[in-house]
Amino acid sequence: MHFTSEHRLDDGTLEREFTLGEIPGILWTPESASASAPAPLILLSPPPIGLRKAYPLLAARARHAAADGFVTATIELPGRGDRPRLPAVEQAVTELRRALEAGRPVSGEIIDALILPLVDKAVPEWQAALDALLSLPEIGGPVGYSGGVISIGTRLAVVEPRLSAAVLFAGSFVPQAIFEEAREVTIPLHVLLQWDDEGNDRQAALALFDAFGSKEKTLNANMGGHVGVPQHAGEAAGRFLIRHMR
Amino acid sequence: MHFTSEHRLDDGTLEREFTLGEIPGILWTPESASASAPAPLILLSPPPIGLRKAYPLLAARARHAAADGFVTATIELPGRGDRPRLPAVEQAVTELRRALEAGRPVSGEIIDALILPLVDKAVPEWQAALDALLSLPEIGGPVGYSGGVISIGTRLAVVEPRLSAAVLFAGSFVPQAIFEEAREVTIPLHVLLQWDDEGNDRQAALALFDAFGSKEKTLNANMGGHVGVPQHAGEAAGRFLIRHMR
């Protein structure tokens, strides 16, 4: 992990860009975190629009988390931002567009090709990032996860025992294999669903929520489209993380 | 409205039992409410187990609401507690039990007979109670609704323009006619759903949530059965009322 820039936000939060091998990332550390008072960590997975475009959203969440005493870290998804494209996924995106434009249902094959290579590559990267982050003296535990592509969060919650709780956003296509993995998830979950999400299959989202093996799971569904998560729903997700990590 | 008893709870809340005609009820007033500082009002509809049995649950909610500056009032449902039974509803309860014991699906006819007479009778009673309550100098507005039988809350939200927001509990059978009425609801809604509710049809609950015409509505679904609403879900419902009524 190599820090490439740092500056302080007006609330005192230290924002540092870093690279982990070839993967760019950002780390936000509240003033309260130090080697003698290490802070809990939120892994903030970005939406698949590239870190630069997602920055305002991510920075706003990180500032809220810093106010609650959390360190927040994010890394670029495989094939997004300045990272090399994943040709198989690009091909699947093209097929997805064709299907949507033709009004055809999106096949399981397209969904698998779109999501599974991303999950296979992203999850070990998040684990490597977690190794590096937990070696920093100002970061302790526990570790929470919040964000992005729900299949990545699901797989990570299964394979990564250091995760204590996860906020998942039911806003993307879900391969059948991930439904099976969802049954193995046992950590507390808080799932956000935008009821009228134009890019989402509501029944699939509800079925995935049902499939999660966690004894403690909350579905928080609100009106509006993909990017319209209301402020109170974001605050409820924040309270969930505080409840399970402080 | 005739007060029959009063005493102060240890948090200073004044608890008064009353009768409205033949209907018993309870009114909880926080110390902060007065004629010079009238408080907003929450109509707390009880679950259909009778006021006496529901008292611990209702009183706990009223104390939380009092801490947020709300007056809370509840009245006995028709045919419950010491009120005269509704023979048609009793007959429907018998038929419901027979259907459940025989493993037969519960017909629309049984659901209509079970719920619609209760709604027809309860809604005007809540409106009469609201008239009486709003004539008390320590009660101002706005008025919120929270509780009980979701069909009663749905009808009341349609016909009673003084309601500003409602917390509804998706925990009982819903007649087809109520799905139609739900489309006419426009006030902000916060709907609680227990995902594994043994006495509830989850698909019907999700369909009813979808049917509500309100632009602002949240579904908060949690694991567990009918009476297992977690504390954080109750708190989220309280925050919803604060957001829309303070």
Side-chain angles (χ1 to χ4, degrees):
Chain A
M1 181 171 238
H2 176 67
F3 289 104
T4 56
S5 80
E6 75 167 67
H7 76 284
R8 278 212 185 265
L9 307 181
D10 55 8
D11 65 353
T13 301
L14 183 65
E15 179 180 285
R16 286 180 285 180
E17 295 187 62
F18 64 83
T19 54
L20 186 78
E22 295 176 281
I23 309 166
I26 313 174
L27 179 63
W28 291 273
T29 307
E31 275 188 309
S32 57
S34 68
S36 58
L41 171 67
I42 296 173
L43 301 177
L44 182 59
S45 184
I49 55 172
L51 270 196
R52 210 162 292 158
K53 266 177 97 171
Y55 174 82
L57 174 72
L58 298 170
R61 289 206 202 150
R63 290 162 79 112
H64 276 114
D68 293 328
F70 293 111
V71 172
T72 299
T74 189
I75 55 173
E76 186 70 270
L77 289 174
R80 303 292 164 163
D82 297 332
R83 298 191 63 187
R85 295 287 165 269
L86 303 176
V89 173
E90 297 296 308
Q91 178 60 31
V93 169
T94 304
E95 285 173 33
L96 172 67
R97 286 210 185 111
R98 275 190 203 133
L100 292 176
E101 282 165 11
R104 276 184 280 124
V106 179
S107 70
E109 288 75 15
I110 294 179
I111 295 174
D112 287 356
L114 189 72
I115 302 291
L116 289 179
L118 193 63
V119 175
D120 289 343
K121 201 161 163 56
V123 167
E125 291 179 356
W126 279 103
Q127 293 188 285
L130 186 52
D131 291 341
L133 290 159
L134 289 177
S135 74
L136 297 174
E138 66 271 27
I139 299 179
V143 180
Y145 175 91
S146 177
V149 178
I150 196 164
S151 297
I152 296 175
T154 302
R155 169 83 57 85
L156 193 63
V158 172
V159 301
E160 179 46 69
R162 290 171 291 184
L163 280 198
S164 297
V167 174
L168 301 176
F169 183 57
S172 48
F173 293 104
V174 180
Q176 198 53 45
I178 299 293
F179 281 89
E180 302 305 318
E181 294 180 43
R183 296 180 206 288
E184 296 169 45
V185 176
T186 58
I187 59 171
L189 298 179
H190 185 95
V191 180
L192 292 166
L193 170 63
Q194 287 298 95
W195 199 252
D196 305 313
D197 194 336
E198 58 286 348
N200 193 8
D201 176 341
R202 188 196 300 157
Q203 289 311 321
L206 293 169
L208 183 61
F209 177 72
D210 192 47
F212 285 120
S214 307
K215 278 194 196 126
E216 179 165 356
K217 52 182 177 180
T218 295
L219 178 71
N220 190 315
N222 291 281
M223 291 308 94
H226 195 77
V227 297
V229 178
Q231 187 186 335
H232 64 79
E235 290 168 359
R239 270 188 298 271
F240 163 83
L241 289 170
I242 291 171
R243 210 160 63 235
H244 290 285
M245 294 175 59
R246 295 311 303 255
Chain B
M1 181 172 237
H2 177 67
F3 290 104
T4 55
S5 79
E6 74 169 67
H7 76 284
R8 278 210 186 266
L9 307 182
D10 55 8
D11 65 353
T13 301
L14 183 66
E15 178 179 287
R16 286 179 285 180
E17 295 188 61
F18 63 83
T19 54
L20 185 78
E22 295 175 281
I23 309 165
I26 312 174
L27 179 63
W28 291 272
T29 307
E31 275 188 308
S32 56
S34 68
S36 59
L41 170 67
I42 295 173
L43 301 177
L44 181 60
S45 184
I49 55 174
L51 270 196
R52 211 162 292 159
K53 267 177 98 170
Y55 174 83
L57 174 73
L58 299 169
R61 290 206 201 149
R63 290 163 78 114
H64 276 115
D68 294 328
F70 293 111
V71 171
T72 299
T74 189
I75 56 173
E76 185 69 270
L77 289 174
R80 303 291 164 164
D82 297 332
R83 298 190 62 187
R85 295 288 167 268
L86 303 175
V89 173
E90 297 295 309
Q91 178 61 30
V93 169
T94 304
E95 287 174 29
L96 172 66
R97 286 210 185 110
R98 275 191 204 134
L100 293 175
E101 282 165 12
R104 276 183 280 125
V106 179
S107 70
E109 287 76 15
I110 294 179
I111 294 174
D112 287 356
L114 189 71
I115 302 291
L116 289 179
L118 193 63
V119 174
D120 289 343
K121 200 161 164 58
V123 167
E125 292 178 356
W126 278 102
Q127 294 189 286
L130 187 51
D131 291 340
L133 290 160
L134 289 176
S135 74
L136 297 175
E138 67 271 26
I139 300 180
V143 180
Y145 174 91
S146 176
V149 178
I150 196 164
S151 296
I152 296 176
T154 302
R155 169 83 57 83
L156 193 64
V158 173
V159 302
E160 178 46 71
R162 291 171 291 184
L163 280 198
S164 297
V167 174
L168 301 176
F169 183 57
S172 48
F173 293 104
V174 180
Q176 198 53 46
I178 299 292
F179 281 90
E180 302 305 318
E181 293 179 41
R183 296 180 205 288
E184 296 169 45
V185 176
T186 57
I187 58 171
L189 298 179
H190 185 94
V191 180
L192 292 166
L193 170 64
Q194 288 297 94
W195 199 253
D196 305 314
D197 194 335
E198 57 288 347
N200 193 10
D201 176 341
R202 188 196 301 156
Q203 288 312 321
L206 293 169
L208 183 61
F209 177 73
D210 192 47
F212 285 119
S214 306
K215 278 194 194 125
E216 178 164 359
K217 51 182 176 180
T218 296
L219 177 71
N220 190 315
N222 291 280
M223 290 309 94
H226 195 77
V227 297
V229 178
Q231 188 186 335
H232 65 79
E235 290 168 0
R239 270 189 298 272
F240 164 82
L241 290 171
I242 291 171
R243 211 159 63 234
H244 290 284
M245 293 175 59
R246 293 314 302 255

